[in-house]
Amino acid sequence: MELTPVILDGVPLFATTQWRFKKHNVHGLITEDSETGTYKFELKHFSFTESREGYLSIDDAKAAAEKKIDLWYNVQGRLLALK
């Protein structure tokens, strides 16, 4: 899963505070909270949305988001296999 920085108007590239990603048709956003220095991720799909916060690094937030997406994809595959 590759993170793409979100470039905001008036904010230099080296001060990026948001990153987008997409995996298995699930769109995600990782945001840095500049006051606390923590990161949170938000996942959006037409069947669910989820947000978790409190990660100490962007890599931790990325790994947790990817793990959640893989779990969701695995469960959906098993449910579809039962039909």
Side-chain angles (χ1 to χ4, degrees), residues 26-64:
V26 178
H27 297 273
L29 181 69
I30 295 177
T31 306
E32 178 185 14
D33 185 0
S34 58
E35 291 180 10
T36 61
T38 59
Y39 296 86
K40 72 175 184 176
F41 71 81
E42 299 173 14
L43 301 176
K44 294 184 182 182
H45 188 265
F46 70 89
S47 64
F48 77 97
T49 58
E50 182 159 344
S51 178
R52 298 272 171 104
E53 57 186 49
Y55 298 98
L56 299 177
S57 72
I58 191 168
D59 292 328
D60 291 342
K62 177 184 172 186

Side-chain angles (χ1 to χ4, degrees), residues 21 23-24 26 43 65-73:
F21 58 90
K23 184 174 183 180
H24 300 306
V26 178
L43 301 176
E66 192 166 14
K67 187 175 180 182
K68 178 67 178 179
I69 292 170
D70 290 340
L71 174 66
W72 171 82
Y73 191 71

